[in-house]
Amino acid sequence: MDEQFYRMKRLPPYVIAEVNAMRHAARLAGRDIIDLGMGNPDQPPPQHVIDKLCEVAAKPDAHGYSQSKGIPGLRRAQANYYARRFGVELDPESEVVVTMGSKEGLGSLATAITAPGDVVLAPNPSYPIHTFGFIIAGATIRSVPTTPDEEYWRSLESAMNFTVPRPSVLVVSYPSNPTAETVDLAFYERLVAWARENKVWVLSDLAYSELYYDGNPTPSIMQVKGAKDVAIEFTSMSKTYSMAGWRMGFAVGNKQLIAALTRVKSYLDYGAFTPIQAAACAALNGPQDIVETNRRLYRKRRDVMVEAFGRAGWDIPSPAASMFAWAPLPPALKDMGSLEFSKQLLTEAQVAVAPGVGYGEKGEGFVRIAMVENEQRLRQAARNIKRYLSSLGVNSSAA
């Protein structure tokens, strides 16, 4: 019945949901599934953040409507974060807005700035909201590569020269979800110059800003002179502070885009629950031990996973950032396709991963692996995978 609705017709079946349903059914049947599919942090937030949530929630006057754009103290806290982390000055009143996670912020901004028929440039593969937020709003998507090499720039130029109407928005996301690719500040400098020349808005998703592993902190597009003329950037507390279910994020940057997002949000919501916003202030303003603790945790898991899966017969490139590995299918199984491989991995090895095709057709041939299980479970996953590959005649190294 939903096919009678215009926007439902524009949304294809969510491929990843098929694997998720299989995982849920397997767990209901009592099977021990090692879930590396969803990027859902398994660690709790800092205790002082939970304490602040409880403290404010105990106040009788804390349960009314909040502010859609975020309480002033939280917007100041985010501005202070950008100042100390990136050396970027932001006006908390006009250049910061609180969102219910970066995903909601991107979707609401798409609604705010997109007209039916507009053309939006989005990476392929990419996190689904980067494309479907605009598709829901009525836009047309033109794909550009995710890998930030010279082919990326040639694709941008081709899109501007041969697309009618000319694209008005470009989405970027580094560290990338799902590919874990990163960029340096020189990339953003070139991007800002290109956007200003071509009169294109840039939407940067920086959800994994603090999960970097090789001593190279991820930059922000806002560090580039003139970025505020053309860009807005989204960040999230989900991974940095292990607050995924709290749905707390931010958009910062261009005043016109911030105003548009703020206005649309004022029609759609009354803001996050005030105690959650107060607790988010405590996270941003308080001790930052958890940031380095989480970084070490995911780095260790990365190293264990790459080593153990490699010995099992599945070589996985070591990601430089994010909480994901972007893994090509074992060469002997590449013709299976990412969806069927993910299904078989679930049923035969009790390991859940996300099929790459769920992030765009350019994701075919890969799966996304989330580092959200502890080291012992990652090693168990490797043993299960080794047995599965051996059953198919795929050779593995000595355990």
Side-chain angles (χ1 to χ4, degrees), residues 13-23 339 355:
Y14 193 34
V15 172
I16 298 172
E18 189 173 347
V19 178
N20 290 343
M22 291 177 62
R23 178 193 63 208
L339 180 57

mmCIF file of all heavy atoms in Angstrom, residues 13-23 339 355:
data_model
loop_
_atom_site.group_PDB
_atom_site.id
_atom_site.type_symbol
_atom_site.label_atom_id
_atom_site.label_comp_id
_atom_site.label_asym_id
_atom_site.label_seq_id
_atom_site.Cartn_x
_atom_site.Cartn_y
_atom_site.Cartn_z
ATOM 1 N N PRO A 13 14.135 -0.756 -1.417
ATOM 2 C CA PRO A 13 14.251 -1.578 -0.211
ATOM 3 C C PRO A 13 15.626 -1.372 0.430
ATOM 4 O O PRO A 13 16.644 -1.271 -0.258
ATOM 5 C CB PRO A 13 14.092 -3.006 -0.748
ATOM 6 C CG PRO A 13 13.343 -2.849 -2.031
ATOM 7 C CD PRO A 13 13.793 -1.546 -2.610
ATOM 8 N N TYR A 14 15.637 -1.290 1.740
ATOM 9 C CA TYR A 14 16.872 -1.051 2.484
ATOM 10 C C TYR A 14 17.617 -2.378 2.612
ATOM 11 O O TYR A 14 17.249 -3.242 3.408
ATOM 12 C CB TYR A 14 16.545 -0.458 3.852
ATOM 13 C CG TYR A 14 17.720 0.132 4.600
ATOM 14 C CD1 TYR A 14 18.762 0.766 3.924
ATOM 15 C CD2 TYR A 14 17.774 0.080 5.984
ATOM 16 C CE1 TYR A 14 19.824 1.324 4.608
ATOM 17 C CE2 TYR A 14 18.834 0.632 6.685
ATOM 18 C CZ TYR A 14 19.864 1.255 5.991
ATOM 19 O OH TYR A 14 20.924 1.806 6.681
ATOM 20 N N VAL A 15 18.669 -2.546 1.802
ATOM 21 C CA VAL A 15 19.357 -3.832 1.698
ATOM 22 C C VAL A 15 19.870 -4.294 3.057
ATOM 23 O O VAL A 15 19.768 -5.473 3.424
ATOM 24 C CB VAL A 15 20.520 -3.721 0.688
ATOM 25 C CG1 VAL A 15 21.372 -4.978 0.718
ATOM 26 C CG2 VAL A 15 19.974 -3.474 -0.713
ATOM 27 N N ILE A 16 20.428 -3.367 3.829
ATOM 28 C CA ILE A 16 21.018 -3.744 5.111
ATOM 29 C C ILE A 16 19.954 -4.293 6.051
ATOM 30 O O ILE A 16 20.231 -5.149 6.893
ATOM 31 C CB ILE A 16 21.747 -2.533 5.720
ATOM 32 C CG1 ILE A 16 22.894 -2.094 4.794
ATOM 33 C CG2 ILE A 16 22.286 -2.850 7.107
ATOM 34 C CD1 ILE A 16 23.562 -0.806 5.197
ATOM 35 N N ALA A 17 18.708 -3.827 5.903
ATOM 36 C CA ALA A 17 17.635 -4.298 6.766
ATOM 37 C C ALA A 17 17.392 -5.790 6.603
ATOM 38 O O ALA A 17 16.967 -6.473 7.543
ATOM 39 C CB ALA A 17 16.352 -3.518 6.477
ATOM 40 N N GLU A 18 17.661 -6.318 5.409
ATOM 41 C CA GLU A 18 17.462 -7.745 5.172
ATOM 42 C C GLU A 18 18.402 -8.572 6.037
ATOM 43 O O GLU A 18 18.002 -9.566 6.651
ATOM 44 C CB GLU A 18 17.682 -8.051 3.686
ATOM 45 C CG GLU A 18 17.300 -9.456 3.283
ATOM 46 C CD GLU A 18 17.375 -9.674 1.783
ATOM 47 O OE1 GLU A 18 17.491 -8.682 1.035
ATOM 48 O OE2 GLU A 18 17.307 -10.846 1.360
ATOM 49 N N VAL A 19 19.656 -8.164 6.115
ATOM 50 C CA VAL A 19 20.620 -8.864 6.960
ATOM 51 C C VAL A 19 20.274 -8.655 8.432
ATOM 52 O O VAL A 19 20.382 -9.574 9.250
ATOM 53 C CB VAL A 19 22.041 -8.393 6.651
ATOM 54 C CG1 VAL A 19 23.058 -9.088 7.567
ATOM 55 C CG2 VAL A 19 22.390 -8.664 5.192
ATOM 56 N N ASN A 20 19.842 -7.443 8.784
ATOM 57 C CA ASN A 20 19.455 -7.171 10.172
ATOM 58 C C ASN A 20 18.311 -8.073 10.616
ATOM 59 O O ASN A 20 18.287 -8.563 11.751
ATOM 60 C CB ASN A 20 19.059 -5.704 10.338
ATOM 61 C CG ASN A 20 20.247 -4.759 10.229
ATOM 62 O OD1 ASN A 20 21.401 -5.188 10.331
ATOM 63 N ND2 ASN A 20 19.981 -3.486 10.031
ATOM 64 N N ALA A 21 17.356 -8.291 9.735
ATOM 65 C CA ALA A 21 16.219 -9.162 10.066
ATOM 66 C C ALA A 21 16.689 -10.601 10.275
ATOM 67 O O ALA A 21 16.214 -11.301 11.188
ATOM 68 C CB ALA A 21 15.171 -9.100 8.960
ATOM 69 N N MET A 22 17.621 -11.050 9.446
ATOM 70 C CA MET A 22 18.173 -12.397 9.608
ATOM 71 C C MET A 22 18.928 -12.520 10.934
ATOM 72 O O MET A 22 18.822 -13.543 11.639
ATOM 73 C CB MET A 22 19.105 -12.727 8.448
ATOM 74 C CG MET A 22 18.412 -12.914 7.109
ATOM 75 S SD MET A 22 19.601 -13.226 5.764
ATOM 76 C CE MET A 22 20.350 -14.757 6.334
ATOM 77 N N ARG A 23 19.665 -11.497 11.287
ATOM 78 C CA ARG A 23 20.404 -11.508 12.560
ATOM 79 C C ARG A 23 19.440 -11.585 13.737
ATOM 80 O O ARG A 23 19.637 -12.350 14.696
ATOM 81 C CB ARG A 23 21.263 -10.250 12.666
ATOM 82 C CG ARG A 23 22.041 -10.127 13.973
ATOM 83 C CD ARG A 23 22.598 -8.726 14.114
ATOM 84 N NE ARG A 23 21.521 -7.750 14.179
ATOM 85 C CZ ARG A 23 21.637 -6.492 13.772
ATOM 86 N NH1 ARG A 23 22.762 -6.078 13.217
ATOM 87 N NH2 ARG A 23 20.629 -5.661 13.873
ATOM 88 N N LEU A 339 25.870 -8.977 -0.624
ATOM 89 C CA LEU A 339 24.669 -9.343 0.127
ATOM 90 C C LEU A 339 24.655 -10.837 0.433
ATOM 91 O O LEU A 339 24.432 -11.242 1.585
ATOM 92 C CB LEU A 339 23.414 -8.940 -0.643
ATOM 93 C CG LEU A 339 22.076 -9.282 0.038
ATOM 94 C CD1 LEU A 339 21.990 -8.646 1.415
ATOM 95 C CD2 LEU A 339 20.904 -8.838 -0.844
ATOM 96 N N PRO A 355 26.477 -5.537 4.260
ATOM 97 C CA PRO A 355 26.846 -5.662 2.848
ATOM 98 C C PRO A 355 27.156 -4.307 2.232
ATOM 99 O O PRO A 355 26.397 -3.342 2.394
ATOM 100 C CB PRO A 355 25.613 -6.300 2.210
ATOM 101 C CG PRO A 355 24.484 -5.955 3.129
ATOM 102 C CD PRO A 355 25.070 -5.906 4.507
#
